[in-house]
Amino acid sequence: MSSETLPAFIESSNVERKQSLSEEQEKTQKPRVGEGFEPISKRQMKKLIKQKQWEEQRELRKQKRKEKRKRKQLERQYQLESNSDGNDRKRIRRDVVHSTLRLIIDCSFDSLMVLKDIKKLHKQIQRCYAENRRALHPVQFYLTSHGGQLKKNMDENDKGWVNWKDIHIKPEHFSDFIKKEDLIYLTSDSPNVLKELDESKAYVIGGLVDHNHHKGLTYKQASEHGIDHAQLPLGNFVKMNSRKVLAINHVFEIILEYLETRDWQEAFFTILPQRKGAVPTDKACESSSHDKKSADVEGGLDSDSSDEENSRHELDSQHKEEKQDKENSNQSTVNSVPH
């Protein structure tokens, strides 16, 4: 081989070597069956595609939320401007007469609830706060033993609670700052029934959402601590298909309604949800007496029909006896005739 052709040969051999190396790298990089590679299923592929679309639309969703908030803000501003410069609102607020009655939600049962029930308790407290702000006779609202899971949930999902007005939120237990003789614990297990509300007292509602897992707990605690207890006069005015235990916000709203109307029955039927199947006790009594009368009438009809049937049987038996006697007399006559 001449010196002229030697560089060309070396260069071509280098090119071939590079090509073979690249082919080997491709082969090693390709997944082989049975070497730990699992093919992606159609379902997994769909999930990956949906996840990618979700990530791509993140900014679009954020922009839509901003537009929605802006639209609501403009609507509120328009309502305020069209409300005669707020004169109507000022007139409504002047009609409000604050009650001296203290209404406490006792949140000392935090450790007895799972997170799902803590969230329900938070929602019920939000409802109580909103209703008290709208009420014509708002109460002195207290939230006591505030901490633990409830506070954490409120911090994460409702940061505005720190700016709530007309409410006393305290980490202490209510017995630490309210006299025992002023306290009345509201519990459906109490044998005492309220007749009216004393606005000089502090009424306590147990902040426990437990789906009846801890029956009689609030009554037991009130008794052990020597605190007066009572239940709302629900059974005197209402007959329900379901149990008498009410949600926290329902008890709260019933008390607000009673302070406005001074009528327990109206308060109950204004607040109780339809699913409870509540009817006035007088109507329930009328219904039961009507059912009883109907049953008596049916029983009377049955007895009359049975009497008629018995008399019919007696007549039939009498006819049979007369017929039998007649046959016997005929037979005796035939026998007495001489042959």
Side-chain angles (χ1 to χ4, degrees):
M1 186 180 290
S2 64
S3 60
E4 294 178 357
T5 58
L6 185 61
F9 174 75
I10 293 170
E11 185 177 355
S12 63
S13 63
N14 288 336
V15 170
E16 290 175 358
R17 191 180 294 109
K18 287 180 181 178
Q19 288 177 351
S20 62
L21 285 171
S22 62
E23 288 175 359
E24 287 178 2
Q25 287 176 355
E26 287 178 0
K27 287 178 181 179
T28 56
Q29 288 175 0
K30 285 182 180 179
R32 296 178 182 177
V33 178
E35 294 184 357
F37 174 76
E38 295 182 1
I40 298 175
S41 65
K42 289 182 179 180
R43 184 178 294 178
Q44 290 174 332
M45 184 64 71
K46 286 180 180 179
K47 285 183 178 179
L48 290 172
I49 292 170
K50 285 182 179 179
Q51 182 66 27
K52 187 178 179 182
Q53 290 175 347
W54 176 266
E55 294 294 335
E56 289 174 352
Q57 295 175 0
R58 186 187 296 274
E59 291 298 323
L60 179 62
R61 292 195 303 274
K62 190 175 179 181
Q63 184 64 29
K64 284 184 177 180
R65 286 197 296 269
K66 284 184 179 179
E67 291 175 358
K68 188 177 179 180
R69 283 197 298 268
K70 191 173 181 180
R71 186 169 63 251
K72 284 188 174 181
Q73 188 178 0
L74 289 172
E75 287 175 359
R76 284 196 297 268
Q77 187 176 353
Y78 174 75
Q79 286 177 358
L80 290 174
E81 289 174 356
S82 63
N83 200 17
S84 304
D85 297 328
N87 290 335
D88 291 342
R89 290 182 68 189
K90 289 179 182 178
R91 179 179 57 79
I92 292 171
R93 294 304 297 174
R94 278 200 301 268
D95 292 341
V96 171
V97 178
H98 289 266
S99 172
T100 56
L101 183 144
R102 288 160 289 177
L103 198 50
I104 303 164
I105 296 181
D106 175 17
C107 304
S108 62
F109 307 98
D110 193 87
S111 61
L112 299 177
M113 290 182 283
V114 296
L115 182 59
K116 180 178 71 173
D117 293 332
I118 289 288
K119 289 181 177 180
K120 289 181 180 178
L121 172 62
H122 178 203
K123 287 183 179 179
Q124 292 182 21
I125 290 170
Q126 285 177 317
R127 181 69 181 266
C128 293
Y129 172 73
E131 291 299 324
N132 196 49
R133 292 279 291 167
R134 284 196 290 262
L136 290 176
H137 298 287
V139 296
Q140 308 299 312
F141 187 12
Y142 285 82
L143 206 61
T144 62
S145 300
H146 183 252
Q149 297 181 87
L150 177 62
K151 184 178 183 299
K152 184 180 178 183
N153 186 72
M154 292 174 72
D155 288 335
E156 291 175 355
N157 302 308
D158 185 19
K159 295 179 181 179
W161 73 267
V162 295
N163 298 319
W164 283 1
K165 299 176 181 179
D166 301 325
I167 184 172
H168 309 279
I169 301 177
K170 295 180 177 292
E172 299 88 8
H173 193 264
F174 59 84
S175 61
D176 293 341
F177 56 89
I178 296 179
K179 296 177 182 179
K180 187 182 289 188
E181 55 267 24
D182 290 345
L183 291 167
I184 298 176
Y185 214 115
L186 296 175
T187 168
S188 60
D189 298 301
S190 174
N192 307 321
V193 180
L194 280 179
K195 292 183 178 178
E196 56 184 6
L197 294 175
D198 185 349
E199 296 194 42
S200 67
K201 298 290 186 180
Y203 293 88
V204 185
I205 304 171
L208 178 61
V209 179
D210 68 334
H211 308 287
N212 241 12
H213 294 154
H214 302 281
K215 292 182 179 179
L217 181 61
T218 53
Y219 172 63
K220 183 181 177 182
Q221 286 200 358
S223 301
E224 288 177 353
H225 290 88
I227 298 171
D228 290 339
H229 46 78
Q231 62 169 291
L232 296 178
L234 193 64
N236 296 345
F237 299 93
V238 179
K239 184 174 178 60
M240 296 194 302
N241 296 331
S242 60
R243 59 198 180 112
K244 289 167 62 178
V245 179
L246 303 178
I248 296 163
N249 59 293
H250 291 154
V251 178
F252 197 101
E253 292 173 51
I254 286 167
I255 289 174
L256 289 178
E257 188 69 23
Y258 176 79
L259 290 173
E260 184 177 341
T261 61
R262 297 291 171 177
D263 186 329
W264 281 118
Q265 183 161 309
E266 185 175 344
F268 288 134
F269 284 97
T270 302
I271 303 302
L272 288 177
Q274 290 183 353
R275 68 175 182 275
K276 291 285 186 181
V279 293
T281 50
D282 52 355
K283 287 189 178 180
C285 292
E286 288 175 6
S287 172
S288 61
S289 62
H290 180 268
D291 294 340
K292 188 176 180 182
K293 286 179 181 177
S294 300
D296 291 341
V297 169
E298 289 176 1
L301 289 173
D302 291 340
S303 61
D304 291 342
S305 60
S306 62
D307 290 341
E308 289 177 4
E309 189 174 353
N310 291 333
S311 61
R312 194 180 302 115
H313 283 307
E314 289 176 359
L315 288 170
D316 290 340
S317 60
Q318 187 176 357
H319 287 309
K320 284 180 181 178
E321 288 177 358
E322 291 177 355
K323 187 176 180 182
Q324 186 68 31
D325 293 339
K326 190 174 182 181
E327 288 178 356
N328 291 336
S329 62
N330 290 336
Q331 184 66 31
S332 59
T333 307
V334 171
N335 293 333
S336 62
V337 174
H339 294 286

